Amino acid sequence: MAHLRDPKLVVANWKMNGSLDLVHQVLEEFDDTDHLVVCPPAPYIPLFIESDLFVGGQDCSAQEEGAHTGDVSAQQLYDVGCTHVIVGHSERRLSHRETNEWIHAKAKMAIRAGLMPIICIGERDEEQTDNHARQTLLAQLSQCTHGLKPQQYIVAYEPVWAIGSGKTPSNVEIETAINTIKSEKPTQVLYGGSVSNLNASQIALIPDLDGVLVGGASLEINKLNAIVKALS
């Protein structure tokens, strides 16, 4: 298994996308990349295990085991070779009505299983325009990481209004959010929200940025390659 050296991670969240062809392209292009974490749909996870890449889940259950049809436990992700798991992504907060307390339970379960949870937090459009972003971030951060040690998890700052919109905050706005988070919890912080091959080099200049969480751009090899190089 690879060992993380460069703190500027690129986490590729495929969401419910991808194909066997894309899996093979990624394995061929990035097999020796030590700061890329690929988070494919669960059926594709085993295809990455024999590679030298880090692989993560897109979610895990807050329960250890039991009658939870369709769910995947943190321990099961760990057993098949995952090193990371995303919890609290805004899409799950919205479509699955996940609360901060539920996300906290998932993060604890991930840590117990030996995974590194990537805990997503971020403000909605109305909170950003009403200048409530700081309060939202601090509330989510406090509730999602209560009782956890900062070295046990990674935070992904993903302003909800930027995801999939093609819009990104300015570097100053992202830096302000990162500083807000790190002033409370001295942990690694990634940025996510319309990260692309066109803006990755600029985002990489942000002080104290530890990496990026990439959605749609991670589905095209050329774009992902450009982002990985920009964060190297």
Side-chain angles (χ1 to χ4, degrees):
M1 182 178 293
H3 296 282
L4 290 174
R5 295 192 298 271
D6 191 329
K8 291 191 182 298
L9 290 178
V10 175
V11 180
N13 177 20
W14 288 7
K15 308 184 182 183
M16 200 173 68
N17 299 298
S19 63
L20 286 176
D21 183 58
L22 180 59
V23 170
H24 296 149
Q25 290 181 52
V26 169
L27 289 174
E28 182 176 347
E29 183 73 23
F30 300 105
D31 194 42
D32 60 350
T33 303
D34 66 357
H35 60 287
L36 173 64
V37 181
V38 181
C39 298
Y44 296 144
I45 288 175
L47 302 179
F48 287 90
I49 300 309
E50 296 302 319
S51 76
D52 215 27
L53 288 175
F54 293 97
V55 63
Q58 296 179 13
D59 183 50
C60 70
S61 175
Q63 308 297 326
E64 186 173 3
E65 60 182 0
H68 307 288
T69 300
D71 287 352
V72 176
S73 76
Q75 186 62 53
Q76 288 166 342
L77 291 175
Y78 179 85
D79 286 347
V80 297
C82 285
T83 53
H84 298 70
V85 62
I86 300 169
V87 295
H89 192 281
S90 62
E91 291 162 358
R92 293 197 61 86
R93 288 176 182 265
L94 178 63
S95 62
H96 294 265
R97 300 181 180 179
E98 292 189 359
T99 64
N100 292 327
E101 292 76 15
W102 199 242
I103 294 161
H104 175 247
K106 291 186 175 191
K108 286 204 305 182
M109 198 61 68
I111 292 168
R112 181 186 302 176
L115 298 172
M116 175 66 75
I118 300 169
I119 303 172
C120 299
I121 63 174
E123 75 277 7
R124 299 188 302 272
D125 185 53
E126 62 269 24
E127 294 167 327
Q128 188 260 348
T129 54
D130 290 341
N131 201 29
H132 292 157
R134 178 180 173 84
Q135 296 94 313
T136 297
L137 290 180
L138 292 179
Q140 291 179 350
L141 182 66
S142 174
Q143 294 172 34
C144 291
T145 67
H146 177 70
L148 307 180
K149 298 177 181 179
Q151 66 269 24
Q152 291 179 313
Y153 58 85
I154 295 170
V155 171
Y157 166 59
E158 47 157 24
V160 179
W161 53 271
I163 298 172
S165 68
K167 300 184 297 183
T168 57
S170 69
N171 275 20
V172 172
E173 290 173 316
I174 297 173
E175 183 180 356
T176 297
I178 290 174
N179 289 340
T180 295
I181 295 166
K182 292 197 174 191
S183 67
E184 293 296 313
K185 306 284 185 175
T187 187
Q188 291 188 73
V189 181
L190 315 180
Y191 170 73
S194 293
V195 176
S196 73
N197 55 307
L198 301 178
N199 60 24
S201 295
Q202 187 67 26
I203 292 172
L205 298 176
I206 298 172
D208 294 325
L209 177 78
D210 296 303
V212 291
L213 176 60
V214 188
S218 69
L219 299 171
E220 297 183 41
I221 290 299
N222 290 341
K223 292 181 179 181
L224 181 57
N225 194 21
I227 294 169
V228 169
K229 289 181 178 178
L231 273 291
S232 298

